[in-house]
Amino acid sequence: MADLGDPQDRLPPVIHVAGTKGKGSTVAFLRAMLEASGARVHAYTSPHLVGFNERIRLAGRLIDDAELVAVLEEVERVNAGRSITFFEVTTAVAFLAFSRTPADYVLLEVGMGGRLDATNLVERPAVVALTPISLDHVDFLGNTLAKIAGEKAGIMKRGVATVVGPQPPEAATVFEERAAALDAGLFRHGHEWSARPTSTGMCYEGKQRFDLPRPALSGAHQIDNAGVAIAVLENLPKFRLGTQALAQGLHAVEWPARLQVLAKGPLAALVPSGSVLILDGAHNEAAAAVVAQWARDSGDTRPLDLIVGMRANKDAARFFAHLAPVARRVRTIAIPDDALSVPPADLAAIAREAGLRDANESGDVTAAIRELTAQPGDARILITGSLYLAGHVLRMNE
């Protein structure tokens, strides 16, 4: 980055977001609300689902191919063959592109962890946000919630406000201790702010109170994610919140593969009228618990059938343990072109051990949909288990 002229030091005000769950959704809410207020917003997120360009938004639009190639070639030329990771290259490209395009804010999503993440080169963000912590990437971040929280807390900066989403006690303690050491003000869920569903939508209470419509993203957890975003905006220097912009952002927000209904496309066409095809990138225990809660609370009485592909570095047994009480059938598949994909037969055996009796392997997504829809009766068919699988599904359904 120094050889590139330290573009990370020449950015608009940065909102830096870390956490295990909800990072992407929180960034999506922030972008929608800021843009509804008239702001120009850069955004850096990962992973991409369909096209690499999804990772980098320049002032509200996806970076185009010509811009991407030009900046990537420049970064590779300056790097001059030195050892560098894929994510480091991607982050360098984003910082360089952001530094050259005018905008009002940068939304920066941590790739993994926080303390050693490439995005943590930003020395003075405007606000830091920490979304819920759970066990994930334990080989890199540690095998306890406290260790993982310590890595995430690495993005906290001296004197910079930190918004904290709902947390297990072990993580909350780590954040509070880190904040005290840095003299960083904490704005915590359940303390300085709260968000809850109402009969007409949701209510946020923090420095101000806002009665708002329900978020366009499905699931009760999205009210918490929206709450984190509003809390960030309340702590963003020189930014004035408006109810209309918040409401418009909640209505306009889009974030693929988060309980996304696939209503059109070749895969959706395989599902008979009366049933529905849904896509979600849940891939760890905590995310499975959220999906299970959605299944219970949605009010939809149609049986839930699952199509699941998972990577070997995830805890499939705990994933299925949360879904077993709410799902009727499972068809397991391989994630295409993924060497880490769990063999479908092995994944089906894990599902059966977790209590899902009707769990069998299928050849692919299309075959699984056909098998699940061959029997009469309406159903909710949820494709889940991996963001890599979600990206493949979205490409197939174009």
Side-chain angles (χ1 to χ4, degrees), residues 28 131 157 176 200 244 315 345 367 398:
T131 64
K157 301 295 189 293
E176 288 163 5
T200 57
Q244 183 176 351
D315 193 331
E398 285 182 333

Side-chain angles (χ1 to χ4, degrees), residues 20 82 113 115 139 153 159 201 210 354 368:
T20 308
R82 289 171 288 187
R115 181 175 64 92
D139 292 346
F210 295 100

